[in-house]
Amino acid sequence: MPDKIRISLTVNGVGHDVLVEPRMLLVDFLRDELQLTGTHAGCEQGVCGACTVLLDGETTRSCLLFAAQLDGSSVRTVESLARPDGSLHPIQRAFTENHGLQCGFCTPGMLMAACELLEHTPLPEPEDVKDALSGNLCRCTGYQNIVRSVCAAGRVLATAENGSHPASETAETTGASA
Amino acid sequence: MSTVEHEATTDVGPGSSGRRWIGTNVPRKEDPKLLTGRAGYIGDLTVPGMLHAAVLRSPHAHARIRAVDTSAARALPGVVAVLTGEEALHHVNPMTSFCAEPVPQHAIAVDRVRYPGEAVAAVAATDRYIAEDACALIEVDYEVLPPLVDPVEAMDPGAVKVHETLDSNVVFHRSIDFGEVEADFTRADHVIRRRARWHRMGAQPIETAGAICSYDPFTHDMTVWSNTNFYNFLPWSFAGMLGVANNRLRMIPCPVGGSFGSKHLINKVISIAGSLTKAAGCPVKFLEDRLDNIAANDNVGCDRSYDAELAVSDQGEFLSLRMKIVDDYGAYFQFAHGQHGNALAQPTGPYRIGSVGYDLSAVLTNKVQQGFFRGAGADPGNFILERLVDAAAEELGIDRVELRRRNFIQPDRFPFTVPTGNVYDSGNYEPVLDRALELAGLESWQAEKERMRQQGRYLGIGLATCQERTGYSASEWWILYDKPPLPATSTPESVKLDVDATGNVRVAIGCPLWGNSPETVVSQVVAEEFGIDPAAVSVGYADSTSGALSAGPGGSRVTIMLSGAARGAAGTIRAKMQRIAAHAMEIDVADVECVDGTFQAKGVPSTAMSMADVAMRAHLFMHDNPAGEASGLVETFTYDHPFSSPPTADRKDMGAFYPMVSHACHIPIVEVDPETGAVTVLKYYVVNDSGTLVNPALVEGQVVGGIVQGIGAALMEEYIYDADGALGTPSFREYLLPSMHEAPEVIVEHRETPSPFTEYGVKGVGEGGRLVAPTAIASAIDDALKPLGVWIDELPMTPERVVEAVASAADRMVTG
Ligand code: FES
Ligand code: FES
């Protein structure tokens, strides 16, 4: 077994200085070493998108990277979205208000992909969402409500003053809010 | 988009009886943990001292195992245990099977592998990487045997046998007439004949199956964490398989990252983790990777060829339906012919058809065995029936809408018994059809079709009117046996409800979270019964030591059954609280009502006692309560199937076993490119009737999700085995799932014809989308390519098959 490699990286704002095995995948590093199990593995070959995280702000499939490649990087996972006080990120709220998830297994990947999209395209049309998120598979929802959720989140974030935790509703007119 | 139209036929249905929570889009209780990555799926769980397992799989479809050399694997640092199939039998028993035939199945193959990907050895090591390294060091000496890939060849008496314990690869054959089939065909003016083919597809949840097993060799206790469904239905069957006493087994559920029928048992992963924990002496986790799941789990649906006939009168009246089916079950017969029990619950769809002839040959081949996949065998059943109806429309020159109308069961005929003996509880089909036609705006699509034809493009308008049988009693698994291994079950479902001393309601349910919304449903029911806010109800999951009975989600049953159980438990506790409140108020119990979470003298809000007031008395102050009233407010309520009956001895009447029947009309609009074979679904309209809706937004979610799976079934999903029996679709690169680009806009409307059998009139809805969409898309492709003489008789219609169908239609036109 080759020697372990020392890396320094930031995950969700927390610095880590660690030794990793050269062959350890980023997804396993996050889940097994840091216990950040919100990032899921559905295929481990880059097809399903469940393992999507933000690497230096860009969506990345964490099953296709070795942790050892990430010295000096900054990673964001789904665990960074909600606040410790229990308030959801506007994108998460939009997903619940528009019933954009069922089993939830694809959801962290969808949320992270939506984060990147809304960064570049604050008010996406459904077609923009489909282009940006079509590499993320969902077997439950049929996607319609995911597209709605992302569009709704864009509207909320665009009208919010600080863009992070706006108070207004994100439900589409026929969505899942009571 | 979702709107709801209520039937005014009975007093059930939101609004009509002043319900406050049933029928509203209460926010989903399950979401926060799922959205924040805190769900605790099986893959997320860790137990101290836990090892990780990996499995070595057969590259061959069919081979004798001459020898397995595990010495190099055992010598690898970090490896704690290695098991071959034979060694595993020191720790576990063969897996549970529900068939009557001698088809034993082991989680790790013994002597012989019977499908590509079957497990040959398993390793437990300190991490998964090492376990996989160790698998690569295991050497297996195989004697390769001829693979059986084609079920028709496998039926040949001279064919090599998949199981030497059987006389033939036809593991089950039965031909049975329900009603006067011969006579009905004799008096028919027309017999419509079609062949059809439904290929092998799989559930493919994004989360694979997994289990952590932890065995204590001193107490013989076995604890299992897993994403199985049947921990509260058949825990004793797992105990038998794991070789422990049932009262030593504790099975703990996890949220499930999708199942669609594929995780009812997951015996293989539980058995492998269970044998390894016994061998290693510490907890072992086995979580399938994608290859494990696709190649070897209980993922696979039906694989059928149909030879079918519909007897029709000159007026277009359907008289009888007769079919001969060859179903390729793969290498084992785990759930017996349950997939046909499902089809026989609704073989005649929404139509009056007097008799049904059913001839089934279940054939074993060298492929992974069938499990259950959303629709569970009724999916191809709907396909063949709707294709015959469209064929009849064409041959008789009757409009396909008109022909359906003429044959619909009329609303005054319910409860309606179909020829197999199953009962349809209620229905009103024409308004569903009418509304769907209106919703789709067919005239403008017709105009669009004409316009596109001018440009040489092919637009098709699909139509399907189908049933969704919901709420099973599991006799469907063995209903065709003369001597069933088990009697009919009432598939009970329990909840435990308690009101604590401060008046808060907590419910423990016996079923897992499978991507549906059991917490939300239960909280809505409890809120309805006590007049409290559903957000205030806490819902948790009871493990297998709780005594809860639960068949869990499957057969579109769980909302029906949970509603019944939760209402029953709430009603019992509410009645007790009423008695205590009446005693405190010194009035008759009949004069107390429960309003908005308080108990008051009828019509006198000033007398109201809060839930907390009553609950504290109930918990601690027995002397202030009515004599004989035991302390505490806890109730375990078990709701048995509300309407089922056993089959007759000759099986000519299967009894009522799937009687809550939903209905839907689907109208998809597609464009087909005959050159490339590409089919694009442009738009999709649905009117759905699943009885009383508990939460319309969640129902819409189930319908839309099922439709997109159905589009997968219609256009792309298929297990492909080559002539050598090798699996050509072992990953999501080859087994294609619909992505966002294949998902059309779906417009859903609901009508509500309540069930007279269930609490609130609820029917099931979980499978409906996938039960109807494949045949609806087939009819749309057909409609598009009608000018080219194409008839769709096979699913999925991959681009290659569309091109082929166009070419062979052209040949027919030239030669014919
Ligand atoms: S797990 Fe990384 S793309 Fe599927
Ligand atoms: S919500 Fe289940 S896979 Fe997307």
Side-chain angles (χ1 to χ4, degrees), chain B residues 27-225:
Chain B
R28 193 165 175 249
K29 233 181 172 58
E30 295 79 358
D31 279 355
K33 61 176 173 277
L34 304 178
L35 282 164
T36 53
R38 294 160 187 248
Y41 299 104
I42 183 64
D44 304 344
L45 302 186
T46 304
V47 172
M50 183 178 91
L51 303 174
H52 297 263
V55 167
L56 178 69
R57 299 191 175 280
S58 166
H60 306 293
H62 198 186
R64 208 178 311 282
I65 301 170
R66 284 208 203 97
V68 185
D69 180 355
T70 58
S71 52
R74 285 176 206 278
L76 189 71
V79 170
V80 182
V82 182
L83 291 176
T84 64
E86 224 150 287
E87 289 162 346
L89 284 179
H90 299 309
H91 305 289
V92 295
N93 295 311
M95 301 190 295
T96 318
S97 177
F98 296 90
C99 66
E101 297 78 7
V103 186
Q105 187 171 8
H106 304 285
I108 306 174
V110 177
D111 294 335
R112 202 151 145 186
V113 288
R114 294 182 172 86
Y115 62 91
E118 185 158 20
V120 181
V123 176
T126 47
D127 73 37
R128 174 78 184 228
Y129 290 73
I130 295 173
E132 288 180 11
D133 290 343
C135 284
L137 295 174
I138 297 172
E139 293 199 13
V140 186
D141 181 9
Y142 293 104
E143 177 194 337
V144 178
L145 301 170
L148 287 161
V149 183
D150 180 346
V152 176
E153 284 171 21
M155 290 170 81
D156 189 305
V160 56
K161 281 190 286 182
V162 180
H163 288 272
E164 272 151 1
T165 47
L166 298 175
D167 296 333
S168 135
N169 292 318
V170 182
V171 61
F172 179 85
H173 174 257
R174 184 149 196 179
S175 188
I176 187 163
D177 280 359
F178 301 97
E180 302 303 320
V181 178
E182 281 304 329
D184 287 338
F185 269 86
T186 309
R187 73 189 169 98
D189 301 307
H190 309 267
V191 175
I192 312 298
R193 289 194 177 85
R194 287 292 184 278
R195 292 186 151 185
R197 184 78 178 87
W198 177 281
H199 290 278
R200 209 173 189 86
M201 307 166 192
Q204 323 302 15
I206 307 296
E207 182 211 38
T208 60
I212 301 170
C213 290
S214 177
Y215 180 66
D216 182 329
F218 305 103
T219 62
H220 307 294
D221 285 332
M222 177 77 87
T223 308
V224 179
W225 293 260

Side-chain angles (χ1 to χ4, degrees), chain B residues 422-656:
Chain B
N422 192 36
V423 171
Y424 295 172
D425 54 348
S426 64
N428 194 358
Y429 305 141
E430 277 201 81
V432 171
L433 175 62
D434 288 335
R435 180 58 196 143
L437 295 170
E438 196 175 86
L439 182 69
L442 276 199
E443 273 166 30
S444 69
W445 282 116
Q446 283 294 0
E448 178 68 6
K449 183 171 158 183
E450 305 299 317
R451 196 186 61 76
M452 284 171 68
R453 279 300 300 118
Q454 306 301 316
Q455 306 170 348
R457 293 166 66 191
Y458 295 85
L459 184 115
I461 302 169
L463 175 78
T465 53
C466 295
Q467 307 298 74
E468 175 187 11
R469 80 289 168 272
T470 77
Y472 73 100
S473 72
S475 49
E476 70 183 42
W477 296 1
W478 43 80
I479 211 156
L480 289 173
Y481 286 131
D482 281 326
K483 290 199 178 65
L486 295 165
T489 161
S490 63
T491 48
E493 191 71 33
S494 315
V495 305
K496 179 177 154 205
L497 182 146
D498 79 89
V499 179
D500 70 17
T502 62
N504 294 310
V505 185
R506 184 166 43 198
V507 186
I509 61 177
C511 60
L513 168 55
W514 250 24
N516 53 340
S517 308
E519 299 171 37
T520 310
V521 166
V522 163
S523 67
Q524 283 181 260
V525 170
V526 170
E528 190 71 50
E529 295 304 314
F530 284 105
I532 57 177
D533 185 341
V537 179
S538 136
V539 183
Y541 295 85
D543 69 35
S544 71
T545 62
S546 66
L549 298 173
S550 168
S556 302
R557 66 181 290 283
V558 85
T559 298
I560 299 169
M561 301 301 286
L562 274 180
S563 301
R567 191 182 203 185
T572 306
I573 294 297
R574 191 186 53 210
K576 182 169 183 180
M577 295 178 84
Q578 258 162 331
R579 293 195 295 274
I580 291 169
H583 189 76
M585 290 180 218
E586 298 181 357
I587 60 176
D588 194 86
V589 68
D591 296 326
V592 175
E593 59 182 352
C594 176
V595 179
D596 295 342
T598 66
F599 294 86
Q600 64 182 36
K602 272 189 184 154
V604 194
S606 62
T607 60
M609 292 175 74
S610 68
M611 297 266 291
D613 291 341
V614 181
M616 191 59 87
R617 281 168 175 263
H619 275 259
L620 293 178
F621 306 118
M622 184 192 91
H623 300 300
D624 288 348
N625 295 339
E629 203 72 80
S631 293
L633 290 173
V634 56
E635 166 76 4
T636 297
F637 189 95
T638 298
Y639 183 71
D640 281 297
H641 195 286
F643 192 92
S644 59
S645 56
T648 54
D650 63 2
R651 298 297 182 270
K652 298 243 167 183
D653 177 348
M654 299 168 81

